[in-house]
Amino acid sequence: MGLIIALVVIVAAVGVWFLTTYNMFIRLRERLRNSKSQIAVQMESRWNALTNLITATGKYSTYERDTLKEIVDQRTKLTGSSDMGQIEKSESQFARAFSSIIAVAEAYPDLKASEVYKSTMDSVNKYEDNVRYARMTFNDMATKYNQAQKQIPANFVAAMMGLEEERYFELSQEHKADMPQWS
């Protein structure tokens, strides 16, 4: 009788551990999705600020405005379920568009000196900071998620759930080269 009680207690303890571990992975996965969604939201806001900047440049260069508008129209739309490749593609598109706007501003000193340009550029910079913070948060969550998957004995539950390691957000060398340089 004592053996049966011991077995029931062991099975119950393993069951509770399994459910607790399963729920931990669900929480981590949802936090990871939320942090990826925050990247998408901040990047979309940054694109909106860039679109306003393009409107400001339109008074100075119709050709540049049309070219930049085309880049904005073709940009990769992001959501919380976007993969890292889509996020990186959007980053490259933004860097290209932003570099073009900087070049227009250099060519038109009146534009660079205008209050609308300065204010809108401040908005772009604010959203860029928000995107940076959202990326850091995502990478922190990815670290927690990946560590939890690899730790014994939780890795058995992760394997049963079919969880895969989450890729970190990293800037590629190409993206770093595309980033605008302030003179």
Side-chain angles (χ1 to χ4, degrees):
M1 185 67 152
L3 181 62
I4 293 175
I5 292 174
L7 285 175
V8 168
V9 168
I10 290 172
V11 168
V14 168
V16 167
W17 170 82
F18 180 85
L19 289 175
T20 303
T21 304
Y22 178 86
N23 287 335
M24 174 199 62
F25 281 123
I26 297 298
R27 267 191 318 279
L28 287 172
R29 186 175 60 193
E30 290 308 307
R31 287 179 182 165
L32 191 62
R33 287 178 180 165
N34 178 282
S35 62
K36 191 184 291 184
S37 179
Q38 291 303 318
I39 293 172
V41 167
Q42 295 305 320
M43 289 177 78
E44 189 64 28
S45 296
R46 186 180 63 176
W47 274 107
N48 292 339
L50 187 70
T51 302
N52 291 338
L53 203 52
I54 290 168
T55 302
T57 64
K59 294 184 222 172
Y60 295 88
S61 173
T62 304
Y63 170 76
E64 286 293 336
R65 182 196 64 216
D66 293 345
T67 302
L68 294 169
K69 187 103 174 84
E70 187 175 313
I71 291 172
V72 170
D73 290 344
Q74 293 177 358
R75 77 180 189 264
T76 303
K77 297 281 187 179
L78 299 177
T79 65
S81 61
S82 296
D83 64 29
M84 295 309 284
Q86 292 168 313
I87 292 171
E88 289 166 351
K89 182 179 177 185
S90 182
E91 281 292 312
S92 292
Q93 291 168 327
F94 181 85
R96 191 171 59 241
F98 192 64
S99 293
S100 296
I101 285 179
I102 297 299
V104 171
E106 291 296 325
Y108 297 96
D110 290 347
L111 169 63
K112 197 172 180 179
S114 80
E115 285 305 314
V116 171
Y117 178 84
K118 289 178 186 177
S119 171
T120 308
M121 184 58 83
D122 287 345
S123 292
V124 170
N125 289 332
K126 178 186 92 169
Y127 288 117
E128 181 61 31
D129 288 343
N130 291 349
V131 168
R132 251 186 238 107
Y133 180 75
R135 282 188 215 126
M136 289 185 332
T137 302
F138 174 82
N139 281 347
D140 288 346
M141 285 308 308
T143 298
K144 289 176 185 174
Y145 182 77
N146 291 338
Q147 283 175 342
Q149 284 184 50
K150 294 174 184 176
Q151 292 175 342
I152 296 174
N155 61 340
F156 297 114
V157 177
M160 284 196 231
M161 293 175 69
L163 300 179
E164 296 180 10
E165 185 173 345
E166 184 64 42
R167 196 173 133 212
Y168 293 98
F169 184 83
E170 297 175 6
L171 290 179
S172 66
Q173 289 302 324
E174 173 189 314
H175 180 71
K176 289 177 186 174
D178 287 344
M179 289 298 287
Q181 301 297 314
W182 296 98
S183 301

